[in-house]
Amino acid sequence: MNGRCCSPGRHGPDGIGGGIGSAGADGAAGPVAGAAQAPGPRPGAEPPSHAVRLPGGTFRMGSDEGLGHPDDEEGPVRAVTVGPFAVATTTVTTARWAEFAEETGHVSDAERFGWSHVFHLHLPPAVAARAARVRSAPWWCAVRGADWRHPEGPGSDLAGRDDHPAVHVSWRDAQAWCAWAGGRLPTEAEWEYAARGGLQDARYPWGDEPRPGGEHRCNIWQGGFPWREETADGWAGTAPVTTYAPNGFGLFQTVGNVWEWCADRRHGGRVIKGGSFLCHDAWCDRYRVAARSANEEEASAANAGFRCVWDPPGPDATGSGTHRAWTATSHTE
């Protein structure tokens, strides 16, 4: 099972039908011209109030448990050191994305191409019946008009979803938002360090049991995937970004809900971490913190989002090139 079954690509051999590629959904034309470019980072931008400042340090990254797909190469467990950085406690919400789009005029890749991927059970039956499908994962439909404003395509909107994660966002879109906010996408190591919340070798941000005491700790699939959705946790599709308790660093939903883009290159694309509302431990066990996958920079889907990180202040007044001290935020504040 490759990564595109979890979050499908836009091009390549795992495309739609006969290879949708640049042809687009249902034979639509390729990307439209005139995509708006976001501005560069705001000079001296500070992390927002909801970001947590982390001191960095050495942690144990990866897993030797053999629970992932062999191609994901989660192991071996190795000691990795990351520097200090600040990280948003949540993924970027639709409300924050809308502010960015309004201010900059940014046109997302889904809007440029004119289509994006939507899970089949979240579409009206008539729409799902005529939509092009991913060959290796036919539960993914290429829907014309699906984008961040219309998560399930024409007729859908963001009503009641201001605090849900922004979706149908490509890696390139996420990069543009982070630059606008004065930050950047996390490296995979930074993401995993933050997602673990200070726990070493744990499968999940809260420990090793997926549902301690039967309690849902994240938004993942319940039921017989991919044809029967039971929504025992109360959510079909995305949930509000602060639905479940945060990890030890104060970060919400680093696993489940939506895949999160990272900066690192992998397999010709970019790393994605955390799994999504479609993950299930009997099918796609990629909602563990060590799990990883990758997707194309232009790819977008209803289960892909991101969170932003910020670097410490710049070189100190001595001109030594070192960074000024940055005190970590207490996660109990």
Side-chain angles (χ1 to χ4, degrees):
M1 189 65 60
N2 63 29
R4 292 175 187 172
C5 295
C6 293
S7 190
R10 194 177 293 279
H11 306 291
D14 223 17
I16 307 296
I20 191 167
S22 61
D26 302 321
V32 298
Q37 297 298 312
R42 295 170 174 172
E46 288 290 325
S49 60
H50 66 269
V52 174
R53 291 168 170 81
L54 300 178
T58 300
F59 75 105
R60 288 168 58 83
M61 182 174 178
S63 172
D64 291 327
E65 291 188 284
L67 298 174
H69 300 275
D71 290 346
D72 290 350
E73 300 173 331
E74 294 179 12
V77 173
R78 62 273 189 200
V80 175
T81 301
V82 297
F85 64 99
V87 56
T89 56
T90 73
T91 52
V92 172
T93 63
T94 61
R96 288 292 285 136
W97 181 270
E99 292 176 13
F100 159 69
E102 181 177 356
E103 181 175 320
T104 67
H106 180 82
V107 178
S108 69
D109 277 329
E111 292 170 295
R112 292 194 311 112
F113 280 91
W115 63 276
S116 190
H117 291 98
V118 181
F119 185 64
H120 72 122
L121 292 184
H122 298 169
L123 293 168
V127 175
R130 66 173 180 268
R133 305 284 185 118
V134 174
R135 286 194 297 267
S136 66
W139 47 89
W140 280 115
C141 298
V143 178
R144 187 190 299 273
D147 55 42
W148 70 269
R149 289 187 181 89
H150 311 98
E152 291 80 47
S156 65
D157 57 36
L158 299 178
R161 292 194 255 196
D162 281 355
D163 58 350
H164 285 235
V167 294
H168 297 294
V169 173
S170 72
W171 183 88
R172 302 193 312 178
D173 296 329
Q175 282 276 92
W177 190 98
C178 290
W180 170 77
R184 58 178 174 80
L185 287 172
T187 66
E188 181 179 5
E190 289 171 334
W191 187 96
E192 190 166 325
Y193 164 79
R196 288 184 176 278
L199 297 181
Q200 293 280 14
D201 300 316
R203 292 179 185 174
Y204 310 106
W206 56 85
D208 289 330
E209 293 297 322
R211 286 168 290 278
E215 178 187 2
H216 292 283
R217 295 290 184 93
C218 63
N219 178 22
I220 56 172
W221 182 271
Q222 299 95 45
F225 187 85
W227 313 113
R228 190 183 77 256
E229 188 172 17
E230 295 178 356
T231 62
D233 60 1
W235 301 101
T238 60
V241 296
T242 59
T243 297
Y244 299 93
N247 71 6
F249 288 158
L251 276 60
F252 292 89
Q253 297 192 176
T254 54
V255 299
N257 217 24
V258 292
W259 283 98
E260 299 184 25
W261 288 108
C262 293
D264 303 55
R265 294 184 182 275
R266 185 166 186 265
H267 293 173
R270 299 287 179 168
V271 170
I272 52 176
K273 295 280 283 186
S276 79
F277 60 81
L278 293 179
C279 283
H280 188 287
D281 45 12
W283 175 259
C284 168
D285 199 8
R286 286 189 173 116
Y287 67 101
R288 294 168 295 104
V289 286
R292 60 204 300 254
S293 192
N295 211 342
E296 303 155 355
E297 292 184 0
E298 296 178 342
S300 63
N303 70 337
F306 69 102
R307 77 178 68 215
C308 189
V309 301
W310 291 263
D311 290 313
D316 62 23
T318 67
S320 65
T322 60
H323 284 77
R324 296 193 297 270
W326 196 1
T327 303
T329 304
S330 168
H331 63 270
T332 61
E333 292 180 351

